[in-house]
């Protein structure tokens, strides 16, 4: 154990990289509230982009409301598609003639320049210029709408339908998530942490999924289709229970892979207790960091996680072993372990690290 800890780089020598988050240290494993994604969710997280932050929750709004919120963009995209199709139909007869004219060939759009007045020529020029401009805007600005709608929301609804309980997956907007610093943002960047937590409050996720798209979050339609595909496989015996997709935050780390924070569990009595313990642990990390002993904190976390991950769990014998090793570790760094231990709340205080 000591040999493993000795290979750890100090915070000053550990490089940081940009990208979506990771709350873990370079080698100590995930720091609460994040834990490693359970193996049953690995098929779900495998296709996700590792440089994004993901939010998942279960949409319990009525199927009627889901249909109504889907109907409006459906009608809008149908109208846009019809407008583009209509312009394409007329353009099929108009643009070849205009191209012939530009190339100097005889064309149906030729104008008798001798008999035509300047007013007629000006009106014709403005009319044709306006037509080209409108078609350009339709193609460049609106053509992607129906295409993305078919590949996204339409494909999603065809696969999932309108159910009483649906999995909603949101992906962070790269305009801000790409700026997050690994290993730091979850504890040090309060603004970003608040942005993420605010997106999964009960009030926020009380809306139906389609209404949760904003400047910070987009719906990940392939991920939602994948989630329901895994749920449907329960009948075959190898699926995933719907409850596994309860409210949570997903981030990826280089050292620990995908991590999950079960935000929805924080509202339960047990979750509130874990949250208080977690805040206590992070407060002591800050205390050790202020003493220039941040590496000691990560070595201590690694020790507890190592002992608790052994076969049989965190037995009283392993708890005693961890305490003896931790005491020596702290004493070697000239840190009062007894004071640290009492402030943490004893063995009960470290259950959050299991």
């Amino acid at each position: 154990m000591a040999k493993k800890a000795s290979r750890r780089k100090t915070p000053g020598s550990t490089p940081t990289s940009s990208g979506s988050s990771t709350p873990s240290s370079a080698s100590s494993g995930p720091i609460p509230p994040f834990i490693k994604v359970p193996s049953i969710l690995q098929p779900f997280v495998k296709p996700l982009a590792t440089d994004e932050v993901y939010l998942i929750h279960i949409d319990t709004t009525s199927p009627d409301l889901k249909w109504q919120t889907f109907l409006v963009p459906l009608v809008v995209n149908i109208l846009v598609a019809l407008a583009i199709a209509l312009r394409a139909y007329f353009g099929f007869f108009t643009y070849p003639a205009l191209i012939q004219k530009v190339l100097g060939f005889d064309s149906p759009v030729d104008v008798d320049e001798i008999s035509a007045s300047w007013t007629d020529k000006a009106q014709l020029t403005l009319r044709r210029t306006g037509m080209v401009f409108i078609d350009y805007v339709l193609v460049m600005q609106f053509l992607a709408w129906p295409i993305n709608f078919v590949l996204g929301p339409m494909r999603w609804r065809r696969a999932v339908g309108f159910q009483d309980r649906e999995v909603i997956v949101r992906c962070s907007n790269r305009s801000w998530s790409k700026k997050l610093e690994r290993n730091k943002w979850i504890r040090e960047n309060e603004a970003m942490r608040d942005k993420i937590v605010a997106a999964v409050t009960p009030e926020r996720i009380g809306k139906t999924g389609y209404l949760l798209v904003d400047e910070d979050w987009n719906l990940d339609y392939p991920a939602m289709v994948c989630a329901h595909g895994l749920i449907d496989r329960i009948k075959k015996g190898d699926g995933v229970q719907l409850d596994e997709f309860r409210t949570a935050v997903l981030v990826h780390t280089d050292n620990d892979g995908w991590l999950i924070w079960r935000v929805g569990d924080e509202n339960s009595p047990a979750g509130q207790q874990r949250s208080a313990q977690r805040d206590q642990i992070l407060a002591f990390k800050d205390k050790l960091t202020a003493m220039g002993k941040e590496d000691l904190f990560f070595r201590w976390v690694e020790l507890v996680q190592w002992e608790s991950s052994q076969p049989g769990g965190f037995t009283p014998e392993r708890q005693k072993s961890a305490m003896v090793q931790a005491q020596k570790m702290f004493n070697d760094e000239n840190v009062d372990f007894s004071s640290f231990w009492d402030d943490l709340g004893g063995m009960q205080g470290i259950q959050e690290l299991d």
Side-chain angles (χ1 to χ4, degrees):
M1 186 65 209
K3 183 177 181 181
K4 183 177 181 181
S6 66
R7 292 197 301 267
R8 182 190 307 279
K9 295 181 180 180
T10 62
S13 62
T14 302
T16 59
S17 61
S18 62
S20 94
S21 87
T22 105
S24 63
S25 74
S27 59
S28 67
I31 298 295
F34 286 87
I35 60 174
K36 290 187 177 182
V37 166
S39 58
I40 197 171
L41 285 180
Q42 287 300 327
F44 169 72
V45 300
K46 186 176 181 180
L48 301 182
T50 57
D51 57 346
E52 303 292 350
V53 179
Y54 289 87
L55 307 178
I56 60 175
H57 75 277
I58 299 173
D59 183 356
T60 58
T61 57
S62 68
D64 288 341
L65 178 59
K66 294 182 175 84
W67 162 247
Q68 292 170 11
T69 56
F70 178 75
L71 182 61
V72 174
L74 174 64
V75 172
V76 170
N77 279 277
I78 289 176
L79 293 177
V80 171
L82 288 175
I84 294 175
L86 183 63
R87 286 306 310 155
Y89 173 78
F90 287 114
F92 179 78
F93 299 100
T94 303
Y95 283 102
L98 290 176
I99 293 174
Q100 285 181 303
K101 175 65 175 177
V102 171
L103 295 177
F105 297 103
D106 291 337
S107 170
V109 297
D110 284 343
V111 177
D112 188 348
E113 298 183 3
I114 297 177
S115 60
S117 65
W118 282 104
T119 301
D120 293 337
K121 293 179 181 179
Q123 290 177 346
L124 182 61
T125 301
L126 289 174
R127 187 163 58 249
R128 290 178 177 175
T129 301
M131 178 191 69
V132 172
F133 176 76
I134 291 174
D135 290 343
Y136 174 82
V137 172
L138 280 175
V139 172
M140 299 303 295
Q141 300 296 325
F142 294 98
L143 180 60
W145 286 21
I147 294 176
N148 291 335
F149 185 78
V150 170
L151 297 178
M154 183 69 74
R155 177 172 173 262
W156 169 46
R157 283 307 178 191
R158 288 187 62 185
V160 176
F162 299 90
Q163 303 182 23
D164 291 324
R165 305 181 72 195
E166 298 176 354
V167 176
I168 299 299
V169 182
R170 283 177 287 166
C171 177
S172 59
N173 191 318
R174 286 188 56 81
S175 63
W176 62 268
S177 62
K178 67 181 180 181
K179 301 175 183 177
L180 298 181
E181 291 189 77
R182 289 184 180 274
N183 307 316
K184 291 186 176 182
W185 72 265
I186 196 61
R187 291 188 299 269
E188 300 179 10
N189 193 331
E190 294 187 6
M192 286 300 175
R193 186 170 65 245
D194 292 344
K195 178 194 292 285
I196 293 172
V197 172
V200 289
T201 59
E203 295 78 11
R204 180 64 173 160
I205 62 177
K207 299 180 180 180
T208 188
Y210 209 80
L211 298 180
L212 296 178
V213 177
D214 55 27
E215 61 181 1
D216 295 322
W217 303 97
N218 297 310
L219 292 179
D220 191 323
Y221 299 103
M224 293 189 289
V225 173
C226 175
H228 279 275
L230 293 172
I231 294 171
D232 292 340
R233 285 167 52 183
I234 291 178
K235 300 176 183 178
K236 300 180 180 179
D238 61 346
V240 179
Q241 293 290 336
L242 177 65
D243 187 62
E244 292 292 340
F245 296 98
R246 63 189 183 275
T247 308
V249 179
L250 289 166
V251 296
H252 187 271
T253 73
D254 294 331
N255 297 290
D256 301 308
W258 282 101
L259 305 179
I260 188 170
W261 173 16
R262 297 286 190 184
V263 183
D265 295 349
E266 299 291 323
N267 295 324
S268 65
Q272 292 174 354
Q273 181 180 7
R274 288 194 301 269
S275 179
Q277 292 172 350
R278 181 170 61 248
D279 292 342
Q280 207 170 11
I281 291 170
L282 294 179
F284 283 110
K285 175 194 173 294
D286 294 338
K287 182 178 179 180
L288 287 174
T289 300
M291 298 169 59
K293 304 290 185 180
E294 184 180 27
D295 187 59
L296 176 60
F297 172 81
F298 290 124
R299 287 162 54 198
W300 173 69
V301 170
E302 186 180 57
L303 169 64
V304 174
Q305 291 180 335
W306 170 264
E307 293 290 349
S308 62
S309 65
Q310 300 306 301
F314 206 27
T315 62
E317 292 77 13
R318 291 202 177 93
Q319 293 178 17
K320 182 177 180 180
S321 173
M323 186 169 65
V324 171
Q325 294 180 67
Q327 185 171 11
K328 183 179 185 304
M329 187 185 301
F330 275 66
N331 291 339
D332 290 344
E333 296 288 340
N334 297 318
V335 177
D336 187 351
F337 176 76
S338 298
S339 175
F340 178 89
W341 185 254
D342 292 339
D343 289 344
L344 184 60
M347 192 58 64
Q348 182 180 5
I350 67 171
Q351 297 302 313
E352 180 67 20
L353 296 174
D354 292 2

